[in-house]
Amino acid sequence: MLKKKFTLVALGALGGIFAFGADIKAIKSESILVNTHSVTLTCDEAVEQALANSSSIKTADIDLEIKKRAGNNAWNVFIPSVQLTDTLARSDASLRDTVVQGAWQASAMEGKLVPSSMIAQGVEAEGFKDNESSHWTNVAGISIGWNFSLAMIQQIRGTKASYEAGKISKEQTLRDTEVNVRKLFYGLLLAQENLLIQQNSLENARQRFEQAQTNYNHGYVPELAVLQAQVTYENKKPDVTKEECSFRQQIDMFAFLIGYPVGTNITLEGSIEPEYIDADFEHLMSLYSENSLTIQALDKNIESLKHNYDAMNLGNFTPALSVNYKMQPSLIYALDFDRYPKKENWNKSNTFSITLAWDLSNLLPWSVKQQSAKDLKAQLQKLELQKEMALENQKMEIRKAVDTLADAKAHIDSMSRNINLAQKSYDMTLRAYKNGTKELLDVRDAEDQLNQAKLGLASQKFNYISALLDLETQLNTKLVNTTKSGE
């Protein structure tokens, strides 16, 4: 019965191991070999070790850095675009051929058709050569453009709000990691307490077996009493060995989760002794309900989405301004490199434009942009519903934690008294057994009752600590520093 009860308690205490383990840094390849390093850890030290090795925290740091960079440089949408180009192009017709063709067409239109050969001679006399370089043209270009729309302002605000949400998300990751490690640490202390109880029970069984042998040798008890004591002792051995093996495996898992090499011998320094507080639901809600990181994150996400929604609407219902300047010099005979330094060989073309553009198709209710805006609005409504649900869930979780604290405290007070009674009952039963007035079964029953009382007290203390951690997480504050009342 005692073993079954502890199994349920241990499962609840250590149930978060695998979920938490997915967020912790994977063990390094060089530490796969068994390590005999030993370390003694307090709960705070275990938290520090986990925070230093958590892959989820490092991932959150990267995500936050991305959002920070985006937020700090959100104004870069106003930077004008500057583009430099240079194109070297070859035409089948040389410049000489183009000029000859143009002159011939002009003479034909004037009704004075001049033979192309005569025109060619005149063109060549003007310096238009028919060589490979005359087929090539180099066109350089520099263009400067600046765009502006009212939507850009809302986009900047949305980016900054996204960064603020990222900071809250990082804080949530830190708190979740800390709470998980603390629960695991105290869960291991609970498992250690159970192991100690089992080991003491085994030692008591051994002493009773030796006492029975001594009594039998002196003729005080029959051989059956010796056999019963021996059977009880031998039956406890494999159970204790199994508990020791299970505890070592849990320690190995804990070491791995917080970033120590496999096989590190961890000694837990601490005890399951909660710091008691006076927790009143209404009072806590009035003071700390708005501190919730979950609610704060939803608020920032809603704010960011609102800015994006406003930006899309401004883009749909207002025009955009575009200012452009383009300079495009060109050089014929591009393979004659001695022509490049002389300005008179370059033909210049400069263009300046101001454009006010408005895509009226975006005003249609069934247009792509309008549908995208409706999708954003629907997402905004979903987030607002999530916030309402989160507020109600917060109330429920806080009330549940407060009730658990009160229930655990009542059980702790009651069980503290019961342990004294159970210890007294066991001591009296053991003396009676040694005097021959009680059976071995009576001793075993008294011992089981004592062990159940001890384990029950430790379990209720763990429940109190766990509920207090949950309450502090929901309220995003340290309650033991502000409402501590003592035991």
Side-chain angles (χ1 to χ4, degrees):
M1 179 66 182
L2 178 61
K3 182 179 178 182
K4 180 178 180 182
K5 180 177 180 180
F6 174 73
T7 301
L8 295 175
V9 173
L11 287 174
L14 304 177
I17 282 182
F18 295 105
F20 172 61
D23 293 332
I24 298 296
K25 175 184 177 183
I27 193 165
K28 298 179 180 179
S29 59
E30 63 267 21
S31 63
I32 291 180
L33 297 176
V34 173
N35 190 302
T36 57
H37 176 64
S38 297
V39 62
T40 300
L41 287 179
T42 63
C43 187
D44 290 338
E45 291 169 344
V47 169
E48 291 177 3
Q49 176 70 15
L51 294 178
N53 292 277
S54 171
S55 60
S56 62
I57 292 177
K58 293 181 179 180
T59 300
D61 284 335
I62 295 173
D63 292 338
L64 183 60
E65 180 60 28
I66 293 173
K67 291 184 177 182
K68 179 181 179 181
R69 187 167 57 251
N72 291 342
N73 298 285
W75 56 269
N76 60 15
V77 293
F78 296 119
I79 296 177
S81 62
V82 180
Q83 185 177 24
L84 295 175
T85 61
D86 189 76
T87 303
L88 191 63
R90 187 185 188 283
S91 174
D92 289 339
S94 67
L95 178 60
R96 168 191 170 281
D97 295 336
T98 302
V99 173
V100 170
Q101 182 66 22
W104 182 84
Q105 290 178 351
S107 65
M109 291 178 63
E110 293 176 359
K112 299 177 180 180
L113 187 61
V114 180
S116 59
S117 58
M118 185 179 298
I119 295 175
Q121 291 177 357
V123 168
E124 290 176 359
E126 293 293 329
F128 291 94
K129 301 177 181 180
D130 186 12
N131 56 20
E132 179 62 21
S133 181
S134 67
H135 290 264
W136 290 87
T137 304
N138 190 334
V139 181
I142 178 171
S143 60
I144 302 175
W146 182 74
N147 299 317
F148 174 78
S149 69
L150 294 176
M152 292 179 177
I153 299 175
Q154 293 299 329
Q155 289 173 353
I156 293 174
R157 292 174 177 172
T159 302
K160 291 186 177 295
S162 179
Y163 169 53
E164 294 299 322
K167 290 196 293 186
I168 296 174
S169 178
K170 165 69 180 302
E171 190 176 350
Q172 279 183 302
T173 303
L174 290 171
R175 177 170 285 276
D176 289 345
T177 300
E178 178 183 353
V179 169
N180 285 330
V181 172
R182 290 189 184 279
K183 285 187 177 181
L184 289 175
F185 186 90
Y186 287 110
L188 286 172
L189 286 179
L190 180 59
Q192 184 174 263
E193 179 74 15
N194 173 72
L195 177 59
L196 182 61
I197 290 174
Q198 297 298 325
Q199 290 172 337
N200 290 337
S201 180
L202 177 63
E203 175 61 20
N204 292 337
R206 185 191 65 80
Q207 292 178 5
R208 287 195 295 268
F209 171 51
E210 291 179 352
Q211 180 68 39
Q213 283 184 318
T214 301
N215 292 342
Y216 172 72
N217 292 335
H218 289 83
Y220 297 147
V221 296
E223 184 180 5
L224 179 61
V226 178
L227 293 176
Q228 288 176 336
Q230 184 176 9
V231 169
T232 300
Y233 173 56
E234 295 298 335
N235 284 341
K236 283 185 175 293
K237 280 184 178 180
D239 290 339
V240 173
T241 301
K242 184 178 180 180
E243 291 293 338
E244 291 173 342
C245 180
S246 175
F247 182 71
R248 283 196 302 270
Q249 291 173 354
Q250 292 172 17
I251 288 291
D252 286 341
M253 177 63 73
F254 184 66
F256 167 72
L257 293 178
I258 63 177
Y260 279 111
V262 172
T264 300
N265 297 320
I266 294 181
T267 301
L268 305 178
E269 184 178 312
S271 60
I272 311 177
E273 290 298 332
E275 296 183 81
Y276 300 103
I277 66 170
D278 293 325
D280 178 76
F281 172 75
E282 298 296 340
H283 180 67
L284 292 175
M285 286 295 296
S286 63
L287 289 179
Y288 306 111
S289 61
E290 296 181 358
N291 289 4
S292 171
L293 292 175
T294 301
I295 305 302
Q296 292 181 39
L298 284 171
D299 284 336
K300 287 299 179 182
N301 287 328
I302 289 173
E303 180 184 349
S304 177
L305 197 58
K306 282 182 177 179
H307 287 311
N308 292 333
Y309 177 70
D310 292 340
M312 182 165 288
N313 282 333
L314 286 172
N316 291 338
F317 294 104
T318 60
L321 176 67
S322 178
V323 180
N324 293 279
Y325 173 76
K326 185 173 184 180
M327 182 172 63
Q328 195 172 46
S330 60
L331 175 69
I332 306 173
Y333 293 97
L335 299 184
D336 294 342
F337 297 106
D338 57 336
R339 291 175 173 265
Y340 281 81
K342 299 178 181 180
K343 294 182 179 180
E344 60 269 17
N345 293 329
W346 290 85
N347 297 318
K348 297 180 180 179
S349 175
N350 300 333
T351 304
F352 175 78
S353 64
I354 299 177
T355 304
L356 195 64
W358 190 2
D359 189 347
L360 296 180
S361 63
N362 292 336
L363 301 178
L364 300 175
W366 52 84
S367 66
V368 174
K369 290 294 184 67
Q370 287 285 358
Q371 294 305 309
S372 298
K374 292 177 180 178
D375 290 343
L376 274 181
K377 186 176 181 180
Q379 292 178 23
L380 185 59
Q381 292 172 340
K382 287 173 60 177
L383 280 181
E384 289 172 343
L385 287 174
Q386 288 180 24
K387 180 182 176 181
E388 292 179 8
M389 294 175 60
L391 288 170
E392 293 302 315
N393 183 69
Q394 180 196 39
K395 295 177 183 178
M396 181 177 64
E397 293 297 328
I398 292 175
R399 186 179 294 277
K400 176 182 175 182
V402 169
D403 290 343
T404 302
L405 289 175
D407 181 69
K409 184 63 168 62
H411 279 82
I412 290 170
D413 294 339
S414 175
M415 289 179 175
S416 296
R417 295 188 296 268
N418 289 344
I419 285 181
N420 294 330
L421 296 176
Q423 183 69 54
K424 184 177 181 180
S425 174
Y426 171 73
D427 293 340
M428 294 176 63
T429 304
L430 182 60
R431 285 196 299 270
Y433 170 72
K434 291 179 179 180
N435 295 330
T437 59
K438 288 288 185 180
E439 298 292 335
L440 178 61
L441 181 60
D442 297 325
V443 177
R444 289 168 56 187
D445 288 343
E447 185 180 39
D448 283 344
Q449 291 175 0
L450 176 59
N451 289 341
Q452 287 184 21
K454 290 180 178 179
L455 180 58
L457 177 61
S459 299
Q460 289 300 328
K461 288 182 177 180
F462 172 80
N463 290 340
Y464 192 96
I465 293 173
S466 180
L468 182 57
L469 287 171
D470 290 338
L471 184 59
E472 290 181 337
T473 299
Q474 288 292 331
L475 300 176
N476 189 29
T477 189
K478 291 291 185 181
L479 296 174
V480 293
N481 296 328
T482 57
T483 59
K484 181 180 176 181
S485 62
E487 295 187 26

